[in-house]
Each structure stands twice: as C-alpha cells, then as structure tokens.
C-alpha cells in the first residue's frame, strides 16, 4: 500500500474466524452476555483485529450493510443450567469505501463459528495492477499476483522467512508462530510507551482513535441488521 502497487483497487476482504463455538456444550462466557461484552458480540471480540489494517490504510467505510447471525441460542452455565446466548455469533459487513480517488467494496467478517478455523486471520486485496493475500491458515506463505495488460494472470506463492519487527536470535529458516508474535506485540507497545510516535517501526500499534472508529462501524452494523437497511457513515463528525 505504501508503494501504491495495487493500481485501482477492485475489492478488499478481511476477516477473523474461530470455530470452537460450534460445540453447543461449550460453557457460556463473557462473549455471550450483553452485560460483559455489549451487544456487539463477535464484532466486539474480534473486530478490531479485522479493522487494524483497513483503518491504518485510511479505508473508513462510507456505508455499512450488516448480516448478523445467532446460531447457538443457549449454552450451559457450568451449574447444570442452560442459559440464553444474548450476543451475535457471526457478522458479515458489506462496506463501501471512498479512498482518495478510488471507490471499492470491502467485506469484513468476524466469526465465532466458522467450521474448521481454529484462529484464522486474513486479508485479501485485489487490484488492477497487483493483488495480494495473507492468511494465518498458511502463516509462512504470502500470495501475490502482479499484472500488466496482456500478461498471464498467475498467483505467486512465496515462503516468508523468519524476520520479525524486533530482532531475535532465531534464524531466518525457522517458522514464526504465536509465541513469537506476542513478544513482538509487547516490544512494540513498550517502545511506543517509551518513545511515543518516534519508533523504529513504520507500522505502529492500534491507536485509541482507531478503536473508537471501529465502535462507530459496529454500532452502524447493529443498526443495519436491526432495520435491514444500509447505514451511512459520517466521519467528519
């Protein structure tokens, strides 16, 4: 995105999917109660992860149309009772984005019940000159499709070496995993705490403002699902 490689953006899709809640015997937790999670449900639980890159790229939706699903109506409470699940299991948000001189659709999805997905985060950007995709389903691989008029359209799959934002003793031939990423997150947070905006990393942590923007989108999604209408967003205010 910084190098403006994509040309005209055709569409964007980003999501974060889990599958453990497919089990109806899984005990109810904070994510299923409005008192502890709010009405957002899966959006409040997973949504900022999905919006981190789009927000940083300046892709604030000008409209949101949401489809929210409650799939498991009741869960055990650990005391022999079945209690109602009050929040949403899955959410699909169809958004329209105006960015500089471009307009394109963006689909955002947060799912607690996506069969077979243990912890899958992904983003896919399709463009007229370049397309790219990354998913934690295949954490070592980055897919890209460079294109010039008349050329063959072929996806290129490259293994990503172990090269973290903050240096470690691990060699480049090894795999990067969750235990590595949580240390990188702590390092990034501590550096910003110490140096503010003057960090060595060009891509900084999520900001409170971006978190607030995500709440505006999720609130619009609740309104869209409730009314069946597309909700317009006013970012100037």
């Amino acid at each position: 995105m910084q190098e403006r490689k994509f040309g005209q953006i055709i569409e964007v899709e980003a999501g974060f999917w889990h599958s453990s809640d497919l089990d109806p015997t899984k005990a109810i937790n904070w994510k299923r109660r409005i008192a502890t999670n709010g009405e957002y449900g899966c959006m409040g639980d997973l949504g900022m992860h999905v919006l981190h890159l789009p927000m940083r790229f300046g892709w604030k939706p000008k409209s949101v149309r949401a489809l929210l699903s409650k799939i498991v109506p009741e869960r055990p409470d650990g005391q022999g009772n079945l209690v109602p699940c009050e929040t949403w299991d899955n959410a699909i948000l169809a958004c329209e984005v105006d960015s500089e001189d471009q307009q394109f659709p963006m689909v955002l999805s947060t799912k607690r019940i996506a069969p077979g997905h243990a912890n899958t985060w992904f983003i896919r950007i399709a463009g007229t000159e370049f397309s790219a995709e990354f998913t934690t389903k295949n954490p070592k691989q980055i897919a890209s499709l460079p294109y010039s008029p008349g050329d063959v359209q072929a996806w290129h799959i490259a293994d990503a070496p172990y090269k973290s934002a903050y240096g470690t003793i691990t060699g480049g031939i090894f795999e990067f995993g969750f235990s590595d990423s949580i240390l990188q997150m702590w390092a990034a947070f501590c550096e910003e705490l110490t140096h503010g905006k003057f960090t060595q990393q060009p891509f900084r942590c999520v900001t409170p403002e971006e978190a607030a923007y995500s709440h505006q989108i999720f609130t619009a999604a609740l309104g869209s699902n409730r009314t069946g209408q597309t909700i317009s967003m006013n970012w100037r205010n």
Side-chain angles (χ1 to χ4, degrees):
M1 285 302 303
Q2 288 177 334
E3 297 170 1
R4 304 181 70 85
K5 281 189 174 183
F6 290 92
Q8 180 179 343
I9 294 176
I10 300 168
E11 63 182 13
V12 174
E13 183 178 6
F16 197 10
W17 297 355
H18 284 261
S19 62
S20 60
D21 289 5
L22 181 62
D23 182 0
T25 67
K26 180 181 176 181
I28 199 164
N29 54 29
W30 65 272
K31 300 165 186 151
R32 295 284 164 264
R33 295 187 171 99
I34 291 177
T36 49
N37 186 77
E39 293 183 54
Y40 292 154
C42 60
M43 294 185 290
D45 176 23
L46 304 173
M48 189 63 244
H49 299 295
V50 176
L51 280 165
H52 188 184
L53 286 181
M55 286 284 108
R56 190 59 53 88
F57 294 156
W59 296 340
K60 296 178 182 177
K62 73 172 188 179
S63 65
V64 177
R65 174 66 176 98
L67 298 172
L68 311 183
S69 303
K70 287 183 180 177
I71 298 163
V72 179
E74 295 179 320
R75 290 191 179 276
D77 65 357
Q79 300 177 355
N81 304 307
L82 283 176
V83 294
C85 296
E86 301 171 333
T87 60
W88 302 103
D89 289 306
N90 288 358
I92 299 172
L93 279 57
C95 307
E96 190 176 16
V97 176
D98 276 342
S99 177
E100 298 178 346
D101 58 343
Q102 298 193 34
Q103 182 175 331
F104 54 88
M106 179 171 68
V107 177
L108 309 171
S109 58
T110 55
K111 297 181 181 181
R112 295 294 322 176
I113 302 179
H117 289 271
N119 190 43
T120 301
W121 178 94
F122 66 91
I123 187 165
R124 180 178 61 85
I125 305 171
T128 56
E129 299 176 14
F130 191 81
S131 299
E133 180 176 0
F134 176 77
T135 172
T136 56
K137 197 82 166 172
N138 301 302
K140 284 184 64 178
Q141 295 183 340
I142 296 176
S144 61
L145 192 158
Y147 179 72
S148 296
D151 283 356
V152 174
Q153 299 178 34
W155 281 95
H156 301 254
I157 309 295
D159 267 17
Y162 190 110
K163 182 173 176 57
S164 54
Y166 296 88
T168 68
I169 62 172
T170 306
I173 62 171
F174 294 96
E175 293 186 28
F176 185 92
F178 181 81
S179 56
D180 302 288
S181 63
I182 193 71
L183 295 175
Q184 295 291 316
M185 290 160 58
W186 290 341
F189 178 77
C190 289
E191 188 187 11
E192 287 196 26
L193 207 60
T194 304
H195 300 292
K197 294 182 179 180
F198 303 101
T199 64
Q200 61 178 293
Q201 301 304 330
F203 193 92
R204 297 177 55 222
C205 300
V206 172
T207 66
E209 290 78 14
E210 288 168 336
Y213 294 153
S214 75
H215 279 258
Q216 290 181 252
I217 294 171
F218 303 150
T219 299
L222 291 177
S224 172
N225 187 76
R226 185 165 51 248
T227 63
Q229 298 178 346
T230 299
I231 304 298
S232 296
M233 306 292 295
N234 182 0
W235 295 104
R236 293 179 180 176
N237 296 325

